[in-house]
Amino acid sequence: MRLVLLGAPGSGKGTQAARLKDHLQVPHISTGDLLRAEVAAGSKLGLEAKEVMARGELVSDAILLGMLEDRFSRPDTAGGFILDGYPRNLAQADALDALLNRIGQPMDFAVQLEVATELLVERIAGRAQAEGRADDNPESVRKRLHVYETSTAPVIEFYRQHGQLTVVDGVGTMDEVFTRIVEAIEPVREVG
Ligand code: AP5
């Protein structure tokens, strides 16, 4: 199963991907996590990305595509994957489509987690207190939500037009949301 999770910052992509990974037995590929690992390692790429991420802006498409090509070249993705945090604009959606077709692994399904903005802000504020992520401050959160609305929301239409999109209510307990996603993807798994 090759699945992409879409949704605004705080919608629960990372939370649900961690659960789906065990359920589907495929790796979870989070571009946010890959970038944070580069920042933590102090690599050249990490140094380039650090300030951009802290401001809540998008890291360059070229960096992201290179990172993904590298990740998809590893053998653990042969049986599928859950992608979280990419694509974030239409150029990335086109690049991903081309990359996956080139490696013979086209996307099966896109799930959009829908959550009202007030709840997104509340969840991120909770995480800011618990974890202190560099981009969870109010100013960066406002920027991330704006970037989502302007650059990432059109990606949802991209997957709708490809007949691959399902929208899942992301409000409720983590278990409830997980059950909804599993119910949504089950028919696709059976066909696959
Ligand atoms: P990224 O790490 O992808 O951050 P994001 O999209 O802003 O997403 P979040 O991690 O905030 O939210 P999430 O939807 O994963 O929710 P989560 O499960 O964590 O990207 C960070 C940055 O990296 C970007 O801003 C950009 O700079 C850069 N970047 C990454 N990808 C890029 C790309 N493709 N191109 C360019 N730049 C890129 O949940 C949030 C909180 O809510 C948690 O505390 C969680 O415990 C809680 N929660 C989750 N579900 C529930 C629930 N059902 N009930 C109650 N609480 C819940």
Side-chain angles (χ1 to χ4, degrees), residues 27 70-80 105:
D70 182 51
R71 185 62 189 87
F72 283 127
S73 71
R74 293 201 226 151
D76 66 337
T77 57
Q105 295 231 50

Side-chain angles (χ1 to χ4, degrees), residues 107-173:
M107 194 66 81
D108 292 315
F109 211 52
V111 173
Q112 181 204 352
L113 294 176
E114 203 168 48
V115 176
T117 307
E118 307 84 73
L119 187 53
L120 299 171
V121 172
E122 198 179 296
R123 285 184 185 174
I124 295 175
R127 185 174 58 193
Q129 284 200 329
E131 298 173 24
R133 208 173 100 172
D135 58 349
D136 278 348
N137 62 81
E139 198 181 327
S140 299
V141 171
R142 262 196 302 278
K143 181 71 189 176
R144 283 158 62 199
L145 289 171
H146 177 74
V147 168
Y148 179 76
E149 286 306 324
T150 52
S151 299
T152 311
V155 170
I156 290 164
E157 210 40 51
F158 175 96
Y159 286 105
R160 199 193 306 278
Q161 280 171 12
H162 283 68
Q164 293 170 319
L165 181 75
T166 196
V167 181
V168 168
D169 180 5
V171 181
T173 66

Side-chain angles (χ1 to χ4, degrees), residues 10 12-15 31 36 57 59 85 88 92 127 133 144 172:
K13 303 181 297 294
T15 302
T31 49
R36 279 184 288 276
E57 294 169 5
V59 176
R88 270 180 139 93
Q92 292 187 2
R127 185 174 58 193
R133 208 173 100 172
R144 283 158 62 199

